[in-house]
């Protein structure tokens, strides 16, 4: 009897497996089978999880896509036919499409969460965008994190599908210490997360060079996906590497202000870390960021040097404003609990069967 949902979370690193784990953890037990990459680094254990051997490098991607992926399709086919009424994909992955085609051939529903839809400049490339488009095109229902992404996808691909908009839940970190955040001088500035061209770290470095007398230190931390031209200085430090949960927690505890100087954006998981750690944030007014934070929940600036500089200086020197934003983040936590996010998504999965 087809009475379960098949869920695939085949990513290995980054916040996407963590996003998926947090959602599935709050689904009703016995309602799904959860398949994860055997090589997953991030995330945590789900009691119902099963492992699939994916890949860890370009060479293993080629080999395992050629030999291992077809093996799993064959082995799982009887179970898919007899057991699963729908396929839920919490994010895009290169191995999603064969499963999408299989479920569609069987007349089953496929629900995909679209995080970006139209990929950022400098991210991946033309072929990945086309492949991502196929995932979206052949899914039957879509889950968006922001209305901005929904409109972007519909305009770009010229398609309308049943959908729901469910915001990103809070990315929590057990190493965050709230008490360290309350003693706030506004002098320690932090950029956190994967460093891509669209995230404006060069813009931030130019501003720091002009306001260095007003700060203690600014840290740009995260693994870059292009060759950074920014250099360490007395006030600006670059940590170009993958960060552990401990390192992320320590950076958030150290920071007084979290900065998102993005030149474009869909949504940001870093914002959820900022909310979780109750940090005052400065965000550029781009993409879907305004759907994650209200007008009075951060300092909004334009993606240019003068605006970012003005916003930073105003927040650095205004204790009352920083304390106000800390209190706003404390209130914001309640609405973005994973149980709330998960219940909305599960209801959508059930209602669209």
């Amino acid at each position: 009897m087809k009475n379960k949902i098949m869920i695939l979370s085949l990513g290995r690193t980054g916040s996407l497996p963590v996003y998926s784990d947090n959602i599935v953890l709050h689904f009703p037990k016995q309602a799904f089978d959860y398949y994860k990459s055997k090589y997953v680094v991030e995330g945590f254990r789900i009691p119902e999880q099963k492992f699939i051997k994916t890949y860890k490098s370009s060479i293993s991607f080629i080999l395992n896509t050629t030999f291992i992926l077809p093996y799993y399709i064959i082995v799982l086919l009887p179970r898919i036919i007899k057991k699963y009424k729908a396929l839920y994909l919490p994010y895009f992955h290169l191995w999603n499409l064969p499963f999408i085609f299989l479920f569609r051939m069987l007349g089953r529903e496929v629900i995909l969460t679209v995080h970006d839809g139209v990929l950022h400049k400098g991210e991946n490339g033309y072929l990945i965008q086309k492949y991502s488009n196929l995932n979206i095109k052949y899914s039957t229902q879509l889950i968006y994190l922001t209305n901005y992404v929904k409109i972007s996808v519909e305009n770009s691909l010229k398609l309308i599908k049943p959908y729901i908009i469910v915001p990103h839940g809070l990315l929590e970190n057990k190493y965050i210490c709230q008490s360290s955040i309350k003693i706030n001088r506004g002098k320690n500035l932090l950029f956190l997360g994967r460093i891509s061209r669209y995230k404006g770290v060069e813009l931030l470095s130019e501003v720091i060079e002009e306001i260095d007398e007003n700060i203690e230190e600014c840290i740009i931390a995260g693994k870059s996906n292009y060759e950074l031209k920014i250099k360490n200085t007395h006030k600006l430090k670059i940590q170009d590497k993958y960060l552990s949960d401990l390192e992320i927690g320590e950076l958030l505890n150290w920071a007084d202000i979290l900065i998102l100087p993005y030149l474009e954006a869909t949504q940001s998981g870093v914002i959820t870390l900022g909310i979780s750690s109750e940090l005052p944030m400065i965000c550029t007014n781009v993409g879907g960021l305004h759907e994650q934070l209200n007008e009075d929940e951060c300092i909004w600036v334009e993606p240019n040097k003068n605006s970012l500089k003005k916003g930073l200086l105003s927040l650095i020197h205004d204790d009352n404003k920083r304390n106000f934003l800390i209190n706003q983040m404390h209130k914001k936590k309640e609405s973005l609990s994973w149980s709330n996010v998960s219940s909305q998504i599960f209801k959508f999965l059930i209602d669209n069967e």
Side-chain angles (χ1 to χ4, degrees):
M1 179 179 178
K2 301 184 291 293
N3 61 357
K4 280 194 171 186
I5 298 170
M6 182 181 191
I7 305 174
L8 293 181
S9 174
L10 302 180
R12 191 173 65 89
T13 62
S15 64
L16 292 176
V18 180
Y19 168 85
S20 180
D21 283 353
N22 275 294
I23 289 171
V24 173
L25 183 64
H26 295 88
F27 278 179
K29 302 296 185 289
Q30 308 304 319
F32 61 90
D33 281 339
Y34 188 39
Y35 295 86
K36 298 173 62 174
S37 171
K38 180 181 179 181
Y39 307 123
V40 66
V41 175
E42 308 294 339
F44 43 88
R45 178 173 178 77
I46 306 296
E48 297 80 9
Q49 71 187 22
K50 307 174 190 298
F51 288 112
I52 287 180
K53 185 178 180 181
T54 55
Y55 50 86
K56 296 189 287 184
S57 66
S58 299
I59 294 176
S60 66
F61 168 72
I62 295 171
L63 292 174
N64 290 2
T65 300
T66 304
F67 300 106
I68 301 298
L69 178 57
Y71 164 79
Y72 279 118
I73 294 290
I74 294 170
V75 168
L76 291 172
L77 183 57
R79 187 181 300 178
I80 291 171
I81 293 173
K82 296 177 183 179
K83 196 174 182 182
Y84 301 132
K85 55 188 176 183
L87 173 66
Y88 169 46
L89 303 165
Y91 53 87
F92 168 77
H93 186 271
L94 292 173
W95 278 16
N96 283 353
L97 196 58
F99 290 94
I100 292 174
F101 283 154
L102 178 56
F103 271 76
R104 291 304 305 272
M105 285 168 47
L106 293 171
R108 315 277 171 83
E109 301 298 314
V110 177
I111 302 92
L112 169 67
T113 296
V114 182
H115 290 253
D116 292 321
V118 179
L119 302 180
H120 301 291
K121 295 175 183 177
E123 294 272 283
N124 299 308
Y126 176 81
L127 293 178
I128 295 296
Q129 180 68 72
K130 292 298 182 182
Y131 194 69
S132 172
N133 292 349
L134 289 175
N135 280 249
I136 295 171
K137 179 180 178 180
Y138 288 103
S139 297
T140 56
Q141 290 98 34
L142 301 173
I143 299 170
Y144 298 106
L145 276 64
T146 64
N147 189 59
Y148 174 86
V149 174
K150 170 189 169 292
I151 294 173
S152 177
V153 167
E154 291 180 347
N155 289 341
S156 175
L157 302 185
K158 310 301 181 187
L159 58 77
I160 305 292
K161 290 181 179 287
Y163 73 93
I164 188 174
I165 297 173
V166 184
H168 201 299
L170 288 183
L171 291 177
E172 299 182 350
N173 184 298
K174 65 181 179 180
Y175 299 105
I176 292 174
C177 178
Q178 298 294 344
S179 61
S180 69
I181 298 167
K182 299 186 185 303
I183 303 171
N184 188 315
R185 300 176 302 129
K187 300 291 187 179
N188 293 337
L189 313 183
L190 176 65
F191 171 97
L192 184 67
R194 187 186 59 191
I195 303 174
S196 300
R197 292 185 186 277
Y198 73 90
K199 290 194 175 179
V201 293
E202 289 84 4
L203 172 64
L204 175 59
S205 69
E206 292 177 16
V207 171
I208 296 303
E209 186 177 354
E210 296 187 6
I211 67 168
D212 62 351
E213 293 182 357
N214 297 270
I215 70 171
E216 196 74 35
E217 190 173 63
C218 176
I219 294 178
I220 295 175
K223 180 62 178 172
S224 64
N225 63 4
Y226 67 103
E227 185 179 355
L228 285 177
K229 302 297 184 182
I230 305 171
K231 304 298 182 183
N232 284 317
T233 66
H234 178 59
K235 292 295 182 75
L236 180 65
K237 305 300 180 186
I238 314 297
Q239 297 183 14
D240 187 356
K241 63 175 185 175
Y242 291 108
L243 301 168
S244 67
D245 284 347
L246 174 59
E247 290 172 317
I248 291 172
E250 289 176 340
L251 285 167
L252 290 167
N253 290 335
W254 167 86
D256 298 326
I257 296 171
L258 185 62
I259 308 169
L260 288 82
Y262 298 177
L263 306 180
E264 60 176 84
T266 47
Q267 63 275 322
S268 173
V270 175
I271 283 181
T272 69
L273 280 172
I275 296 169
S276 183
S277 55
E278 298 181 15
L279 275 173
M281 283 180 269
I282 290 184
C283 302
T284 47
N285 190 11
V286 295
L289 300 187
H290 236 306
E291 295 181 56
Q292 291 183 270
L293 294 171
N294 295 328
E295 189 67 33
D296 62 349
E297 291 176 336
C298 79
I299 299 296
W300 293 103
V301 299
E302 297 305 313
N304 61 66
K305 186 167 71 173
N306 289 337
S307 182
L308 180 58
K309 178 180 177 180
K310 181 180 178 181
L312 262 173
L313 288 174
S314 68
L315 191 55
I316 287 169
H317 296 297
D318 191 337
D319 294 348
N320 292 331
K321 186 64 176 179
R322 291 198 309 277
N323 289 331
F324 172 79
L325 292 176
I326 290 170
N327 288 330
Q328 292 292 85
M329 294 303 96
H330 183 73
K331 297 174 185 177
K332 187 83 171 179
K333 282 184 179 181
E334 298 179 4
S335 64
L336 295 176
S337 69
W338 284 108
S339 59
N340 185 29
V341 169
S342 181
S343 65
Q344 293 180 64
I345 290 176
F346 188 75
K347 184 176 186 300
F348 182 71
L349 299 182
I350 298 303
D351 288 348
N352 283 278
E353 290 175 6

